[in-house]
Amino acid sequence: MSMWHGLQYPLKPGSEEAVKELFRKSGRPRFDVTDSDGKVVGRLLGTMVFVGKEIAVRIIEVEGPLPLVAAHMSRQPEVREFERELEQYLAAPRDMITPDGARAFFREAALENVLARRHDQPLKPVG
């Protein structure tokens, strides 16, 4: 079963257009989420990004535990390059280069999914 997660990126004032372009041109990581031994432990299913005044929000749909997804993302060259370029626009620094740093960022920047509604499914609580 897949889960949706949100991550917030507080931005420096005036950096919104640069951040939009950076997200648009970012590369694609491997979709199979692997652990440090290379074993498949999940899958990246989708990503959406919203940018507003001094904030960006990334919404991801994944299968697998979020800490393992975060560690997997930190090992992806495309993600490492994106995060390195993004750093200059962030209001607060963070470490997305190491698996521990990535897990800490995901923990601190996480947004709780409290509602997921589809037109073709009955209403049910999230969580």
Side-chain angles (χ1 to χ4, degrees), residues 62-78:
V62 300
E63 291 174 340
L66 191 58
L68 293 179
V69 171
H72 167 79
M73 297 297 282
S74 76
R75 293 188 295 269
Q76 302 300 299
E78 301 83 0

Side-chain angles (χ1 to χ4, degrees), residues 29-86:
R30 287 193 351 238
F31 295 113
D32 285 334
V33 173
T34 56
D35 63 16
S36 58
D37 296 325
K39 178 183 172 199
V40 175
V41 293
R43 187 158 173 78
L44 304 174
L45 300 175
T47 301
M48 292 184 285
V49 176
F50 300 87
V51 177
K53 184 177 169 75
E54 298 177 17
I55 190 145
V57 176
R58 180 192 305 234
I59 307 297
I60 58 173
E61 182 183 15
V62 300
E63 291 174 340
L66 191 58
L68 293 179
V69 171
H72 167 79
M73 297 297 282
S74 76
R75 293 188 295 269
Q76 302 300 299
E78 301 83 0
V79 173
R80 291 172 78 109
E81 175 64 19
F82 169 80
E83 296 294 342
R84 185 188 64 71
E85 290 183 39
L86 181 64

Side-chain angles (χ1 to χ4, degrees), residues 7-9 94-96 101-110:
L7 299 167
Q8 61 180 325
Y9 299 81
R94 80 283 189 286
D95 168 22
M96 278 296 289
R103 281 189 289 269
F105 167 70
F106 272 63
R107 210 174 28 255
E108 293 165 14

